[in-house]
Amino acid sequence: MSLTTTRGGRRQRPRGTRRFNRRDRIVLGILLGLAVLVDLFIVWGPTLASVGLSFTSWDGISEISWVGLDNYRTAFTEYPQFWPAVRHNLMWLGFLGLVATPFGLFLAVLIDRGVRFSRFYQSAIYLPVVLSLAIVGFIAQLVFSRDQGALNALLGRQDNPVDWIGDPDLNIWMVLLAAAWRHTGYVMILYLAGLKAVDSSLKEAAAIDGANERQTFFKVVFPTLRPVNVVVMVITVIEALRAFDIVYAINRGRNGLELLSVLVTDNIIGEASRIGFGSAIAVVLLVVSLGVVVTYLVQELRGEKDR
């Protein structure tokens, strides 16, 4: 560390630099160590345990027996709910990523332009975010219920009601609308914060160069939102693949609403208590989640490096 000399001949350290003493290092070590231990205990410990248990047969009471890849083979070839659950999770991811997320960005752009009552719109759209997905599931039941639902009453179909959440061909789409209702507000707030941070001089320079509003947004504004895009992408993947509460509140994730998270719960804490088999499904969910997120982040990092 370099030192500077003052008028009196004394040497002092440059401003902005500070050497940690022994007490500081001990405090930092304790604080960081506690954070790492909590992370290992709550996140990585159960994760690694699930990976290990996925190769075993265990009901939580009897002795653990090693079965190798049998749990995965059973899930892929003999478990009838597995592939519908995979399809529904991918539909969830596609709907949130291709419909709800762009719509949240669209609302953020509109509010950022300073429309009248923008504070009211911002609060109203964000309001569902403070609700848990279980509460959103109960609200979906009130809206889409066959006999007393608000949607059938609004459409005037009390005499010939549509079973929106009982029909396996329709209920997944109704639940996706409810989940997107909550997800849109979250995305809107994130993008709105990103738009507020965009340097206005960039927009002015684009206008001077003759760019219209559409060209300015896609050529100037949207590229500057790259950090927000990464956060939104990761959140969207997590929200899509960990979905559980809303379908469990509606019909316990059955009859067209099967999800991998529901299958994990049913097998691990259900009557069968097939902890090894449920852990195998959980590992599949983990691999899919990491695969999507890591692939996207690698592409983003490569694009950033190329620039």
Side-chain angles (χ1 to χ4, degrees):
M1 182 180 297
S2 61
L3 301 176
T4 58
T5 304
T6 61
R7 287 185 179 180
R10 291 188 307 170
R11 305 176 74 187
Q12 64 178 14
R13 303 183 189 281
R15 292 184 178 180
T17 62
R18 181 174 182 270
R19 175 176 292 178
F20 292 108
N21 57 32
R22 185 171 180 271
R23 180 183 177 183
D24 293 334
R25 289 194 293 269
I26 292 175
V27 171
L28 285 174
I30 292 174
L31 295 178
L32 291 175
L34 288 175
V36 171
L37 287 176
V38 170
D39 186 64
L40 290 175
F41 181 75
I42 296 179
V43 178
W44 291 108
T47 300
L48 296 177
S50 296
V51 173
L53 288 172
S54 68
F55 300 102
T56 67
S57 176
W58 186 42
D59 60 5
I61 300 176
S62 60
E63 185 178 352
I64 299 176
S65 60
W66 181 266
V67 297
L69 296 175
D70 284 353
N71 288 327
Y72 295 96
R73 180 186 56 79
T74 301
F76 293 154
T77 61
E78 301 177 14
Y79 193 46
Q81 294 96 331
F82 179 78
W83 289 112
V86 172
R87 183 174 68 252
H88 294 158
N89 272 112
L90 293 178
M91 289 172 61
W92 211 289
L93 178 60
F95 194 85
L96 293 187
L98 301 178
V99 178
T101 296
F103 188 58
L105 173 60
F106 174 72
L107 294 176
V109 172
L110 288 182
I111 293 176
D112 184 62
R113 294 179 63 180
V115 296
R116 293 185 62 185
F117 309 114
S118 60
R119 292 297 179 91
F120 170 77
Y121 297 140
Q122 180 177 331
S123 301
I125 296 171
Y126 183 76
L127 183 61
V129 181
V130 304
L131 304 176
S132 69
L133 276 175
I135 300 299
V136 175
F138 291 127
I139 295 175
Q141 285 183 304
L142 296 175
V143 174
F144 301 123
S145 175
R146 177 182 182 276
D147 298 321
Q148 299 178 342
L151 183 57
N152 279 328
L154 184 64
L155 296 176
R157 303 200 56 154
Q158 292 92 335
D159 296 333
N160 186 23
V162 178
D163 196 359
W164 300 105
I165 58 177
D167 188 342
D169 295 327
L170 295 176
N171 55 12
I172 185 64
W173 300 107
M174 299 302 105
V175 173
L176 285 175
L177 285 176
W181 174 57
R182 181 178 182 272
H183 185 72
T184 298
Y186 196 6
V187 172
M188 180 203 69
I189 289 296
L190 292 175
Y191 274 121
L192 193 57
L195 290 170
K196 296 296 183 184
V198 175
D199 191 351
S200 59
S201 62
L202 297 175
K203 301 178 184 179
E204 295 172 358
I208 293 174
D209 290 339
N212 55 34
E213 291 188 4
R214 180 177 176 277
Q215 292 171 331
T216 300
F217 176 77
F218 285 104
K219 299 293 185 180
V220 178
V221 177
F222 191 71
T224 63
L225 297 175
R226 193 180 191 88
V228 182
N229 292 335
V230 174
V231 174
V232 170
M233 164 60 183
V234 173
I235 289 175
T236 301
V237 172
I238 293 174
E239 287 290 320
L241 298 181
R242 76 179 180 93
F244 170 81
D245 333 38
I246 184 170
V247 298
Y248 211 78
I250 292 176
N251 66 357
R252 300 178 67 85
R254 297 184 174 90
N255 190 34
L257 295 182
E258 296 85 358
L259 294 174
L260 289 175
S261 57
V262 176
L263 300 186
V264 173
T265 303
D266 287 344
N267 282 280
I268 290 181
I269 66 175
E271 295 181 1
S273 295
R274 296 194 296 174
I275 295 178
F277 184 70
S279 297
I281 300 176
V283 172
V284 172
L285 183 58
L286 173 65
V287 171
V288 173
S289 305
L290 290 179
V292 175
V293 172
V294 171
T295 300
Y296 181 80
L297 292 179
V298 168
Q299 294 297 325
E300 287 292 316
L301 293 174
R302 285 179 179 176
E304 191 72 25
K305 186 177 181 180
D306 292 340
R307 280 195 289 273

